[in-house]
Amino acid sequence: MRKAKWVAAAAGVVLLVAGCGGEGGSGKRGGSSGGSSAGSSSGSTGGGGAEAGGSLDADAVTKEITDAATAAGFTQDSSGEDVPAKLKDCMVSWTADAKKAADPKKSYDATVKTLSGGGWKEGQNFEQNGSTIKTLDKENWTLKASNHGATGFAMVMFIASDNSAECAALFKADLEQNKKS
């Protein structure tokens, strides 16, 4: 499956697990242009990060993930595809180059710990067959931190989605469009 469709499918999973409610969401943030791609490293240069009201936006979420992951020893995998343009304000996808990390499991744990210390509240935790998926929530965002480390295979991803009603509608429209393709 192509990575772009996988990212869209992952967004659907995030919505199913997190719910589609608009609790705490303030709608789409205008002007957010980057920071939500698996291959972009520009997210750490976003200015300020939050809009006036204190709500997180995609740039702020990207910066938090980038800062935590790089401090833990990860570099961003530059081979990933971008999040679709219409979802950039609603979704962040950050894939670690786990092969370059000295110990991907320790780096994953350190990243999650740093995010938790930065206001992300840990929720559901799923572990099975060498894979761990942790849910973290902050304001109107839900982050799925996943570490898949089976023998000979390592993949670490951080996928966050805005749970506002407007973003839920955009995710639903994108999933419907992908069903037709």
Side-chain angles (χ1 to χ4, degrees), residues 10-20 161-164 167-168 171-172 175:
V13 171
V14 168
L15 284 173
L16 288 174
V17 174
C20 295
S161 63
D162 183 332
N163 298 318
S164 68
C167 285
F171 284 126
K172 183 178 179 182
L175 289 172

Side-chain angles (χ1 to χ4, degrees), residues 16-57:
L16 288 174
V17 174
C20 295
E23 176 183 315
S26 61
K28 185 176 177 182
R29 263 63 77 208
S32 175
S33 62
S36 57
S37 71
S40 169
S41 61
S42 63
S44 63
T45 61
E51 68 178 27
S55 293
L56 285 175
D57 64 10

Side-chain angles (χ1 to χ4, degrees), residues 23-180:
E23 176 183 315
S26 61
K28 185 176 177 182
R29 263 63 77 208
S32 175
S33 62
S36 57
S37 71
S40 169
S41 61
S42 63
S44 63
T45 61
E51 68 178 27
S55 293
L56 285 175
D57 64 10
D59 289 334
V61 172
T62 299
K63 181 171 177 13
E64 289 187 28
I65 294 169
T66 300
D67 290 351
T70 56
F74 283 128
T75 56
Q76 193 170 18
D77 184 350
S78 61
S79 66
E81 293 185 36
D82 287 343
V83 170
K86 62 187 168 193
L87 298 178
K88 284 190 179 244
D89 289 336
C90 298
M91 182 178 175
V92 171
S93 178
W94 201 101
T95 303
D97 189 341
K99 293 176 185 174
K100 291 183 181 176
D103 185 337
K105 172 75 172 122
K106 283 184 182 179
S107 293
Y108 169 81
D109 290 340
T111 302
V112 171
K113 183 177 180 180
T114 298
L115 290 168
S116 295
W120 289 87
K121 297 190 182 349
E122 286 193 52
Q124 296 177 340
N125 188 17
F126 173 81
E127 293 187 30
Q128 184 176 9
N129 299 329
S131 293
T132 301
I133 301 172
K134 294 185 179 196
T135 302
L136 298 106
D137 294 297
K138 185 173 184 180
E139 294 184 24
N140 53 312
W141 286 82
T142 296
L143 170 65
K144 296 293 183 185
S146 60
N147 177 32
H148 307 284
T151 306
F153 175 78
M155 179 196 256
V156 178
M157 294 181 68
F158 302 93
I159 300 175
S161 63
D162 183 332
N163 298 318
S164 68
E166 185 173 350
C167 285
L170 289 171
F171 284 126
K172 183 178 179 182
D174 186 62
L175 289 172
E176 289 297 320
Q177 181 181 350
N178 284 328
K179 282 182 186 177
K180 294 176 186 176

